Amino acid sequence: MRVLIKITGEAISSENYPIDYNKIKWLANLIRKIYEHKIEIGIVIGGGNLFRGKDLIRNGFKDYKAHYIGMLATTMNGLAIEEVFSSCNLPSKIFSAIDIPRLVSYFSYQEYQKAIKDEQIAIFTAGTGNPYFTTDSAAALRAAETNSDIFIKATKVDGVYSDDPKKNPNAKKFDFLTYDQFLKEKFEIMDLTAIDICKQTKIPVVVLDLFDEKSIYSLLIEKKRVGTLIYQEDICPWH
Ligand code: UDP
């Protein structure tokens, strides 16, 4: 099985460090639990712990430059993840959608295939390589390009809710949504472009809580229902 996991940059930062070694070590241990089961893993890392384009734009920066700064932030995160994974004996290879030859490989399907053959975890950085997109969209693109069986949006909440569960205690959690329901309701938890790409390519999406250490393992290894499934049917194709 091949999985693409989108992880927000905030997951690897702490109050003390914008990129926190121990947070990445925690992530490495979580990923190892599925890696040991021969799951082929791709990770798209965000950059929100360092820079988001829209914050820089609010601060006065030109929009496209701001987005490039955001994309480079994701590559910094990717370098950190590759480094910590390596120190935890978890083989990985970093790719970038922007050419930075001395530091990272430019993403190509051929290079990705080599990495997977060598049992490396692929870390995709620099988003789509184009301003005005988000790393959710980049993750959907990479999931499609790498023929992934599933796209996991690993985030801070345990699924898609009808309203913000932190603000509204009556918010309802959905176990299942069709792509069209998600697109119609414009849920904010995930970029609509990303859902549209998954709809076109028929890749099931699961939104789950990254910080529930069992969630990814339960979904992929124990084949349990976790988080919210966004697909065209209420049944996940690999269940
Ligand atoms: N970004 C971009 N094009 C892309 C992906 C990302 O311009 O294809 C920029 C965008 O400005 C974004 C920033 O990179 O705000 C960091 O990504 P994101 O906000 O998705 O990170 P996350 O919230 O997942 O940590």
Side-chain angles (χ1 to χ4, degrees), residues 6 8-9 46-48 51-53 67 70-71 127-128 130-135:
K6 158 69 208 295
T8 172
F51 297 107
R52 281 201 176 94
H67 290 305
M71 283 186 268
T128 63
N130 296 296
Y132 309 102
F133 286 92
T134 67
T135 45

Side-chain angles (χ1 to χ4, degrees), residues 88-134:
C88 298
N89 293 319
L90 201 55
S92 67
K93 184 172 171 71
I94 178 172
F95 293 97
S96 170
I98 296 175
D99 220 356
I100 317 175
R102 281 186 56 196
L103 279 180
V104 291
S105 298
Y106 187 65
F107 171 75
S108 76
Y109 186 68
Q110 287 71 19
E111 288 297 314
Y112 162 79
Q113 286 277 65
K114 268 194 228 153
I116 286 295
K117 217 169 141 227
D118 292 344
E119 300 188 353
Q120 292 174 313
I121 295 165
I123 302 165
F124 301 113
T125 73
T128 63
N130 296 296
Y132 309 102
F133 286 92
T134 67

Side-chain angles (χ1 to χ4, degrees), residues 72-217:
L72 291 176
T74 73
T75 305
M76 287 194 257
N77 283 338
L79 284 169
I81 292 174
E82 187 185 46
E83 164 62 16
V84 181
F85 277 22
S86 155
S87 74
C88 298
N89 293 319
L90 201 55
S92 67
K93 184 172 171 71
I94 178 172
F95 293 97
S96 170
I98 296 175
D99 220 356
I100 317 175
R102 281 186 56 196
L103 279 180
V104 291
S105 298
Y106 187 65
F107 171 75
S108 76
Y109 186 68
Q110 287 71 19
E111 288 297 314
Y112 162 79
Q113 286 277 65
K114 268 194 228 153
I116 286 295
K117 217 169 141 227
D118 292 344
E119 300 188 353
Q120 292 174 313
I121 295 165
I123 302 165
F124 301 113
T125 73
T128 63
N130 296 296
Y132 309 102
F133 286 92
T134 67
T135 45
D136 279 1
S137 296
L141 275 178
R142 293 290 175 255
E145 283 177 294
T146 58
N147 294 317
S148 294
D149 299 298
I150 177 167
F151 175 147
I152 296 178
K153 160 102 177 176
T155 182
K156 288 180 276 189
V157 281
D158 63 349
V160 183
Y161 282 79
S162 57
D163 198 0
D164 184 344
K166 286 196 190 109
K167 293 182 191 149
N168 178 358
N170 296 321
K172 175 180 171 266
K173 183 184 158 197
F174 298 99
D175 292 331
F176 165 73
L177 287 166
T178 63
Y179 300 114
D180 286 334
Q181 281 170 326
F182 193 102
L183 293 169
K184 186 166 166 256
E185 295 295 328
K186 297 188 171 60
F187 290 107
E188 283 179 13
I189 193 154
M190 206 168 147
D191 193 302
L192 299 183
T193 311
I195 294 290
D196 197 40
I197 293 167
C198 292
K199 179 185 167 188
Q200 288 175 50
T201 48
K202 297 192 174 62
I203 298 173
V205 180
V206 175
V207 177
L208 53 72
D209 182 4
L210 174 67
F211 301 97
D212 170 357
E213 293 194 21
K214 295 185 301 302
S215 60
I216 295 180
Y217 185 87

